[in-house]
Amino acid sequence: MPDTRYKKVTDPTQMSMAFAEIFNNGRDLDAWISLYEPDAILYFGGPDPVVGHEAIRKALTPLVEMPGKIETRINFCAVNGDIAVVRGDCIGRHEGEITFAASSVEVVRRQADGSWLYMIDHAAGASLPSAWETPSA
C-alpha cells in the first residue's frame, strides 16, 4: 500500500520526475522509498538487483550526499492497463558541469488508489551497450 505521507504519482510519466524532485529538494530516503512497491526490484550501482524497501534504502543512501541537481525527461511511456514501461533520461549537474547521464528502464504499476509505484527500476538499463556490442561470457 502506498505511503500516504508523501505525494502520490498519478501519471506513470511522472515517476522519474518525482524521483528527481526528491533528489533536488532534500533527498528524503523515506520519500524515495514511498515510490516503490514493498517487493520492488532496483538495479542501481551494480549488475545485481536489490529487492524490497530496506535493500532499496541501502542502495539509494549514497545519493543523499551526492552534490548537484538532476533533471529528467521521459523518452517514452507505454501503458497496458495497470502496468507501464517507462524510459526516463536523466542528467546530473554540479557547479554547471554534467556529472553523469543515464537512461532508465522502469516498470510501474497502478495501485488500488490510482497512484503508480515502481515494480522494477533499472536506473541505467537503457544506457547499457547493445548485447551485440558486449562480449558473451
Side-chain angles (χ1 to χ4, degrees):
M1 175 176 295
D3 191 324
T4 58
R5 295 175 296 165
Y6 301 101
K7 180 180 171 183
K8 294 179 182 180
V9 177
T10 58
D11 179 337
T13 65
Q14 300 298 309
M15 290 301 296
S16 293
M17 286 177 259
F19 194 96
E21 183 178 310
I22 294 165
F23 185 92
N24 294 334
N25 297 303
R27 300 182 186 146
D28 180 342
L29 278 168
D30 290 332
W32 273 323
I33 297 305
S34 76
L35 298 175
Y36 292 85
E37 291 186 346
D39 59 350
I41 296 171
L42 170 66
Y43 289 85
F44 184 81
D48 297 321
V50 297
V51 180
H53 282 173
E54 288 311 308
I56 292 170
R57 176 184 305 279
K58 185 176 179 183
L60 295 178
T61 295
L63 291 181
V64 173
E65 300 300 323
M66 182 182 247
K69 301 282 186 181
I70 60 175
E71 178 184 345
T72 62
R73 293 186 181 166
I74 297 305
N75 187 291
F76 71 81
C77 177
V79 180
N80 185 350
D82 292 335
I83 305 291
V85 176
V86 182
R87 174 180 165 180
D89 297 330
C90 177
I91 290 180
R93 298 179 197 271
H94 179 62
E95 297 179 350
E97 299 293 322
I98 294 175
T99 55
F100 70 89
S103 296
S104 65
V105 174
E106 306 161 356
V107 180
V108 297
R109 180 175 14 218
R110 186 185 347 252
Q111 306 299 299
D113 68 356
S115 67
W116 292 81
L117 296 177
Y118 289 115
M119 296 172 57
I120 302 169
D121 181 7
H122 196 310
S127 299
L128 298 174
S130 163
W132 298 109
E133 297 170 14
T134 305
S136 48

